[in-house]
Amino acid sequence: MSNSGGDRLLEMRNIRIEGFADEKWNPIIRGVDLSLDRGEVLGLIGESGAGKSTLGKASMGYTQPGCRISGGTIVFDGIDLRELSSSRLQRIWGSRIAYVAQSAAASFNPAHKLIDQTVAAAVREGISSDSTARDDARKLYASLQLPEPGSIGERYPHQVSGGQLQRVMTAMALSPRPDLIIFDEPTTALDVTTQVEVLGAIRDIVENFNTAAIYITHDLAVVAQMADRIKVLRYGNEVEEADTREMLAEPKMDYTKSLWAVRTLRKEAKSSAKNVLDIENVDASYGGSAKVLHDVSIRLPLGRTVAIVGESGSGKSTAARVVTGLLPASNGRVLFNGDQLPPDIKNRSKEQLRRIQMIYQMADTAMNPRQTVGEIIGRPLEFYHGLKGKEKEAKVFELLESIELNEEFYDRLPGELSGGQKQRICISRALAAEPDVIICDEVTSALDQIVQEGILQLLMRQQRERGISYLFITHDIATVEAISDEIVVMLNGRVVEQGIKDEVLSPPHPEYTEKLLKSVPEMDPCWLDRVFQEKSIAV
Amino acid sequence: MAVVSTIIKRLLLGLLTLFVVSLIIFGSIQFLPGDFAEAVLGQAATTETVAAFRKELGLDQPSYIRYFDWIGSVMTGDFGTSFSGRAASGVDRSRSVAELIAPRLANTLFLAGMTAVVAVPLALILGITAALWRNSYYDRIVNASTLTTISFPEFFVAYILVLLLGTLWAVFPSLADVQQGMSFGERVYKTALPSLTLTLVIVAHLMRMTRAAIINLLASPYIEMAQLKGESPMRVILFHALPNAWAPIATVTAFNLAYLVVGVVVVEVVFVYPGIGQLMVDAVSSRDIPVVQACALIFAATYILLNLIADVIGIATNPRLLHPK
């Protein structure tokens, strides 16, 4: 063993990683250094495409198929990982470095029981016997506060919830008692209320076992809770690195500052006496099975934004489908400017269809990949307004300008656009119909924070200029604070409350709203401690 | 149990399919050009003789009555009596359809079984190893050679094998004229060439689909997870990918086994093998309707049964169905 520092565990020097695409090798990581001491947690943050996940996996000496490490050294506890044969490397992965993936639901093999997968590496590497490993796994399940820790391992992955799976995966990583764990966005796919539990569990474990960790995330507030040090990546380069508190208090680089700035976007809530849309006592179900909406009433004031928040499965998107008529309500009615809309989209007039438009979360799949931007935006112009030829073209240019894109985009295909640009095209397609109401279903969830800000600004500007009302579905409270006038909180297909933003966000809250708001991570590094302190007092 | 009820549902659906197929078989035979009575008695026959002959065969009845007569007796295991050898010559030398078909079906099943025993494991092993060492020379050679055998029509493969193994190096007989009373070993020896031909044809298809089914899964996050847990490539394939690939593999296997039973007429003709395919072709040309119908129904039942088994394997290897929430 030739540790360079006293307790240096990992030392990566001048790492370069390339990915093969378009018939050539393209740089993904352009010479990044990374070092980690025993028991230390390093946060890796950056937007999608920054290379944080690639760098995280490279710290194990692993690259995805189609990628290669083209330069640099990776020394783990005195062992040069790049020099190891693949079978030696496999032994290290099984025993000393573990990986926790973003989507636990997809990362567990559906064909095997959880406990079998949990103990596989430890048993294979001879770290413990099968029965000891299983006993230990059950203890880990218990310490991660999984329900029925004695028997949950006998279940298959599809039989437990996403938050539970994420904790089982942490147990799986811990089973061989590794020196280093790579957490790759372990809570990104979870609801905020579940996220808090998982974050707490991960942090306790890392502290108790003195495990070093690399924590990869795009969520600043999360990394603030978890990491001792933070490294910011952009385009495969390091932007800066500092201790967490220092980084949060005074980021040095402009890029880091801009990451911080997004969370300060906030619009002043206004009320409006007249409602453009009233959802009244709506029940709905898919195919006659269990009801997913129970007596839902939501009002959308004219020219305002109503944010619908809630966890996955709370019925947010179903409510949107009822408004659009894609899913006719089984009970109740939807009023538009005081007139009842036919429940089924098939019975609505073209004019009724025009006035309610929709924008989706995945801009990718909401556009025909074979149509150019001009065709995509031109279609509603022709369909609703009968525009053709030059007239249509001129209008498309006008719309492109209003979404801050130039005429060059007219002939492009969706595949040639970035995520933010795609979402802008979807917005302009909705605007082309000149609607009164736009339903936005998680439109910023798939985007990076800086891009999110741009999209939100754009939506707000359109509202000021055109007086459009938004029904804005999201699970992200920061977005809600930024854009909404009123907030609707949903839980299990029911409306918990609806009110002006400031009233909903300030106490007193109904119990569930309280829990939801408490679970939203804050930038303060002590936030997580506080949450758990309050909990233990409450218990 | 959800699985049992699903399987029972599939079984009932299979029976329903078989019923619909029986209707289609019966219906399409009505469209066969010509008439059995005229075909047998020749143009010189008087109208009275033809009418009498038709009456004897029941052809004078309306078709729906004939259908129910037929399907009713089929359900009791009676496939009727062959049209050929009937009393036109004075003596009734006709044989029951079951008696005609049974030895032929046994021969076909023997050939199919012998081929399957070799081909299915071989294809699985080739498919799995090709997936394991994908893009290696081994993978390329296996792919290229199976692509070659699948590209040639089967009669061509058959004649090449006859030329090579039957004539130039006379290892196996070119004629697979098995007879009753032959020993098992003799039968295997006789059917070696047709079996080899069929093996070449189905191994290609099966192997390629097995490889594709596994490689398709290798992009799953749980496979990457397994690799990052330090699992060896072999274990990743066998323990992590394969258990999730059984459903597509079973479907392709069922399809190929069904082909071995119902689609091998050409190979039977080349090797003069007395299988059920040849019997059906003969029966069609001599307008022996009961035999044609019985063969068609057996073929349909084979298809349905094998696909049903594939479905059941798909269900039994799917933990979501096997272990509901």
Side-chain angles (χ1 to χ4, degrees):
Chain A
M1 301 252 170
S2 59
N3 282 4
S4 49
D7 49 0
R8 182 54 51 87
L9 181 67
L10 178 72
E11 187 79 57
M12 297 169 80
R13 284 267 159 261
N14 197 20
I15 292 297
R16 297 176 176 277
I17 301 173
E18 299 175 334
F20 195 78
D22 301 330
E23 304 291 311
K24 62 179 195 298
W25 289 98
N26 309 291
I28 298 174
I29 299 290
R30 305 156 190 261
V32 173
D33 295 344
L34 187 154
S35 57
L36 191 67
D37 291 341
R38 280 183 192 279
E40 190 188 23
V41 179
L42 173 71
L44 266 188
I45 66 166
E47 298 172 89
S48 58
K52 34 187 206 311
S53 201
T54 309
L55 185 65
K57 284 176 192 161
S59 70
M60 311 175 67
Y62 174 86
T63 50
Q64 277 178 314
C67 295
R68 67 175 185 197
I69 301 174
S70 55
T73 53
I74 306 163
V75 179
F76 171 78
D77 200 12
I79 310 163
D80 188 344
L81 295 187
R82 288 196 66 202
E83 299 297 314
L84 285 191
S85 68
S86 60
S87 60
R88 295 266 319 274
L89 209 49
Q90 280 157 17
R91 303 213 57 180
I92 289 196
W93 293 345
S95 56
R96 304 197 56 195
I97 311 180
Y99 177 78
V100 175
Q102 173 172 359
S103 167
S107 298
F108 272 105
N109 193 320
H112 303 296
K113 288 180 184 170
L114 292 172
I115 198 158
D116 295 342
Q117 303 191 49
T118 305
V119 302
V123 174
R124 190 191 65 230
E125 295 303 326
I127 293 164
S128 51
S129 72
D130 191 70
S131 61
T132 342
R134 279 166 199 272
D135 286 342
D136 178 59
R138 285 186 274 269
K139 275 181 209 143
L140 286 172
Y141 293 156
S143 68
L144 286 159
Q145 286 154 29
L146 281 160
E148 300 166 46
S151 63
I152 194 170
E154 301 304 316
R155 298 196 210 161
Y156 286 84
H158 68 275
Q159 293 173 311
V160 304
S161 74
Q164 291 168 356
L165 271 184
Q166 205 70 47
R167 278 178 270 176
V168 175
M169 181 168 281
T170 307
M172 178 162 86
L174 279 165
S175 169
R177 293 296 182 277
D179 301 301
L180 170 63
I181 303 182
I182 318 293
F183 292 98
D184 193 353
E185 306 245 15
T187 61
T188 306
L190 303 178
D191 287 316
V192 280
T193 47
T194 323
Q195 173 171 274
V196 177
E197 302 296 326
V198 176
L199 288 179
I202 289 177
R203 212 179 52 173
D204 288 350
I205 289 285
V206 169
E207 276 170 17
N208 293 344
F209 293 98
N210 196 30
T211 314
I214 295 179
Y215 196 99
I216 299 164
T217 179
H218 66 276
D219 190 330
L220 295 163
V222 166
V223 85
Q225 311 310 315
M226 307 304 287
D228 303 316
R229 255 186 317 139
I230 296 178
K231 185 195 278 292
V232 184
L233 288 182
R234 188 185 199 193
Y235 304 138
N237 289 309
E238 176 177 322
V239 176
E240 63 178 310
E241 180 181 324
D243 283 346
T244 301
R245 281 170 192 280
E246 200 181 311
M247 177 79 92
L248 292 175
E250 39 182 335
K252 292 192 183 62
M253 308 302 290
D254 286 343
Y255 175 70
T256 319
K257 283 178 193 156
S258 75
L259 279 178
W260 269 230
V262 179
R263 304 181 73 93
T264 57
L265 182 68
R266 195 175 166 118
K267 142 180 170 178
E268 201 168 311
K270 287 191 196 129
S271 59
S272 170
K274 192 169 173 292
N275 290 348
V276 63
L277 199 66
D278 289 278
I279 303 170
E280 292 184 347
N281 310 99
V282 160
D283 291 347
S285 63
Y286 288 103
S289 53
K291 263 205 270 182
V292 282
L293 291 184
H294 308 264
D295 194 22
V296 166
S297 297
I298 295 170
R299 59 180 187 277
L300 174 57
L302 184 64
R304 300 286 171 256
T305 302
V306 171
I308 307 181
V309 294
E311 303 179 10
S312 56
S314 62
K316 308 185 294 283
S317 294
T318 309
R321 291 174 65 86
V322 168
V323 174
T324 55
L326 289 169
L327 179 73
S330 54
N331 231 332
R333 54 186 195 157
V334 179
L335 301 180
F336 185 81
N337 282 334
D339 302 323
Q340 186 174 349
L341 285 173
D344 194 331
I345 194 164
K346 280 181 258 167
N347 306 324
R348 292 189 185 175
S349 68
K350 203 185 239 190
E351 185 61 12
Q352 284 168 331
L353 294 178
R354 179 185 69 77
R355 301 179 76 164
I356 302 178
Q357 292 293 314
M358 183 134 184
I359 311 173
Y360 297 88
Q361 175 174 3
M362 305 306 290
D364 266 335
T365 52
M367 289 190 285
N368 186 334
R370 298 252 173 223
Q371 287 183 351
T372 62
V373 166
E375 286 170 316
I376 290 168
I377 304 178
R379 174 65 190 151
L381 292 173
E382 195 177 321
F383 181 75
Y384 291 120
H385 305 296
L387 296 186
K388 287 208 167 65
K390 279 269 171 279
E391 226 180 340
K392 183 169 89 177
E393 200 179 290
K395 187 76 187 169
V396 172
F397 287 145
E398 197 186 308
L399 282 163
L400 279 175
E401 202 185 305
S402 75
I403 54 164
E404 294 146 26
L405 297 178
N406 58 34
E407 297 186 359
E408 282 170 28
F409 285 86
Y410 190 86
D411 287 318
R412 296 216 191 149
L413 290 169
E416 301 169 278
L417 307 174
S418 73
Q421 287 166 345
K422 280 180 201 159
Q423 198 56 285
R424 280 171 192 265
I425 300 299
C426 288
I427 292 173
S428 73
R429 174 172 63 181
L431 292 175
E434 294 175 12
D436 299 294
V437 173
I438 297 182
I439 301 171
C440 305
D441 192 352
E442 302 270 10
V443 290
T444 55
S445 308
L447 302 173
D448 290 320
Q449 302 209 355
I450 291 179
V451 184
Q452 274 186 28
E453 190 197 10
I455 296 287
L456 293 180
Q457 297 274 23
L458 173 66
L459 287 171
M460 285 195 250
R461 189 162 63 79
Q462 298 301 333
Q463 183 166 57
R464 283 197 301 275
E465 290 171 5
R466 302 171 193 240
I468 298 168
S469 317
Y470 295 120
L471 205 53
F472 201 95
I473 296 164
T474 181
H475 68 275
D476 180 25
I477 303 289
T479 312
V480 172
E481 287 187 35
I483 196 168
S484 68
D485 297 292
E486 294 197 12
I487 299 177
V488 175
V489 181
M490 286 190 76
L491 174 68
N492 298 333
R494 291 188 167 80
V495 171
V496 177
E497 62 172 326
Q498 168 161 16
I500 300 289
K501 170 165 66 179
D502 307 277
E503 287 168 16
V504 173
L505 293 179
S506 49
H509 307 293
E511 191 188 345
Y512 176 70
T513 313
E514 173 91 20
K515 184 180 171 206
L516 192 66
L517 292 175
K518 276 267 167 67
S519 307
V520 179
E522 290 167 19
M523 295 292 277
D524 177 4
C526 303
W527 169 78
L528 193 60
D529 299 313
R530 235 174 34 231
V531 170
F532 282 99
Q533 255 170 23
E534 281 173 24
K535 264 197 190 165
S536 59
I537 293 166
V539 171
Chain B
M1 275 281 281
V3 177
V4 175
S5 74
T6 318
I7 291 174
I8 290 174
K9 229 181 274 171
R10 289 291 159 93
L11 240 145
L12 292 177
L13 263 176
L15 283 176
L16 183 71
T17 317
L18 201 56
F19 169 70
V20 174
V21 168
S22 77
L23 275 175
I24 294 172
I25 291 170
F26 190 83
S28 27
I29 281 177
Q30 307 305 307
F31 292 111
L32 271 185
D35 177 274
F36 176 75
E38 279 170 13
V40 169
L41 300 175
Q43 291 180 332
T46 61
T47 352
E48 288 79 32
T49 345
V50 172
F53 194 61
R54 285 173 64 90
K55 195 171 164 62
E56 190 204 331
L57 298 181
L59 290 175
D60 56 338
Q61 301 282 336
S63 49
Y64 68 91
I65 292 187
R66 279 188 285 139
Y67 173 74
F68 284 112
D69 272 355
W70 173 59
I71 205 72
S73 32
V74 165
M75 277 197 264
T76 62
D78 173 16
F79 284 89
T81 310
S82 164
F83 280 179
S84 52
R86 286 291 176 102
S89 53
V91 197
D92 189 354
R93 276 180 272 106
S94 63
R95 299 161 69 191
S96 86
V97 174
E99 200 183 316
L100 272 172
I101 287 183
R104 296 298 195 101
L105 183 61
N107 282 345
T108 294
L109 291 179
F110 179 81
L111 178 60
M114 189 172 142
T115 309
V117 164
V118 178
V120 174
L122 181 67
L124 288 185
I125 291 169
L126 284 177
I128 290 168
T129 47
L132 179 61
W133 298 304
R134 59 195 171 285
N135 304 328
S136 68
Y137 281 108
Y138 171 80
D139 182 27
R140 282 176 208 175
I141 290 167
V142 169
N143 259 313
S145 47
T146 52
L147 190 63
T148 314
T149 58
I150 211 174
S151 305
F152 289 119
E154 55 202 41
F155 71 85
F156 184 78
V157 175
Y159 282 126
I160 293 290
L161 287 177
V162 167
L163 177 67
L164 293 177
L165 299 177
T167 317
L168 290 179
W169 299 278
V171 191
F172 295 114
S174 312
L175 292 187
D177 49 344
V178 293
Q179 272 140 29
Q180 273 173 336
M182 272 185 174
S183 75
F184 179 76
E186 240 177 314
R187 269 176 184 268
V188 170
Y189 176 66
K190 284 270 188 192
T191 46
L193 281 188
S195 174
L196 189 57
T197 310
L198 292 171
T199 301
L200 286 178
V201 173
I202 73 163
V203 159
H205 190 208
L206 256 174
M207 169 265 153
R208 295 173 76 85
M209 295 303 284
T210 304
R211 178 182 179 275
I214 290 176
I215 286 185
N216 199 14
L217 289 174
L218 291 183
S220 319
Y222 61 82
I223 295 294
E224 180 175 67
M225 190 70 219
Q227 288 168 337
L228 289 174
K229 276 163 72 181
E231 299 277 40
S232 68
M234 183 64 107
R235 254 185 76 87
V236 167
I237 299 271
L238 290 182
F239 192 72
H240 293 277
L242 197 56
N244 296 294
W246 281 128
I249 292 175
T251 309
V252 187
T253 312
F255 179 81
N256 279 287
L257 292 183
Y259 161 80
L260 285 181
V261 176
V262 312
V264 296
V265 180
V266 174
V267 175
E268 287 180 5
V269 170
V270 172
F271 294 98
V272 203
Y273 186 77
I276 196 170
Q278 276 213 46
L279 177 69
M280 186 175 179
V281 172
D282 293 346
V284 169
S285 54
S286 66
R287 304 282 185 282
D288 197 344
I289 295 167
V291 176
V292 176
Q293 284 175 342
C295 288
L297 205 58
I298 288 172
F299 287 172
T302 309
Y303 249 104
I304 292 168
L305 183 69
L306 285 168
N307 278 299
L308 192 72
I309 293 172
D311 275 358
V312 170
I313 290 175
I315 293 167
T317 56
N318 184 342
R320 281 171 193 279
L321 294 171
L322 213 53
H323 310 278
K325 285 197 179 188

